Amino acid sequence: MHIKLSRIETPYVLEATNESGNSIRIDASPEIGGKNSGPRPMELLIMGLAGCSSIDVLMILTKHRIEVLDYSVDVDAEREKVEEANLFKNIYMKFKVKGGFKEEQVKRAIDLSLEKYCSVAKTLEKTAKITYEFELVP
């Protein structure tokens, strides 16, 4: 994996590009001089968790020939309040899934993702407690 990051605007507006040419703008908060023109790095980490676990869940359900009609996840993350690096300490995820399946199937797919497959979750669980709930949408 290779990422190239360049400053595109002062003071903190950055652009990160992956090997495929996909890019994302990153910025700092206005409190430290940023312009709020892109997600902050820690927000990207939580976005990565939501994306990683969602790909797993959708893939697991699809492999079981379960059609997902609609899908979303909301994430709330709480960071430590210290002088140094403010690591995540609590992360709560709420999955909303619509389709023709049983509650146990969705729970199993989420458990497999967060406990076994999602690399972002496995990285974050070293410092944060990750909890979730899910809702089957009619």
Side-chain angles (χ1 to χ4, degrees), residues 52-70:
C52 179
S53 62
S54 293
I55 290 169
D56 290 341
V57 168
L58 293 167
M59 189 181 302
I60 291 165
L61 294 173
T62 300
K63 283 184 179 178
H64 286 87
R65 300 175 195 259
I66 298 168
E67 183 181 12
V68 178
L69 301 175
D70 198 14

Side-chain angles (χ1 to χ4, degrees), residues 60-111:
I60 291 165
L61 294 173
T62 300
K63 283 184 179 178
H64 286 87
R65 300 175 195 259
I66 298 168
E67 183 181 12
V68 178
L69 301 175
D70 198 14
Y71 177 93
S72 67
V73 61
D74 291 321
V75 183
D76 290 308
E78 180 185 5
R79 294 171 67 184
E80 298 173 326
K81 304 277 190 239
V82 294
E83 289 290 322
E84 305 83 41
N86 295 323
L87 303 176
F88 288 110
K89 64 178 186 177
N90 291 304
I91 300 170
Y92 166 77
M93 306 176 75
K94 179 156 186 188
F95 296 84
K96 294 181 183 178
V97 190
K98 180 178 182 178
F101 36 75
K102 298 177 183 162
E103 192 171 299
E104 305 84 46
Q105 293 170 306
V106 174
K107 181 178 185 334
R108 177 78 175 137
I110 295 169
D111 285 344

Side-chain angles (χ1 to χ4, degrees), residues 3-8 13-17 23-26:
I3 301 294
K4 178 179 174 148
L5 185 126
S6 303
R7 183 165 78 173
I8 58 173
V13 181
L14 310 168
E15 183 176 66
T17 306
S23 64
I24 188 164
R25 181 179 282 213
I26 303 167

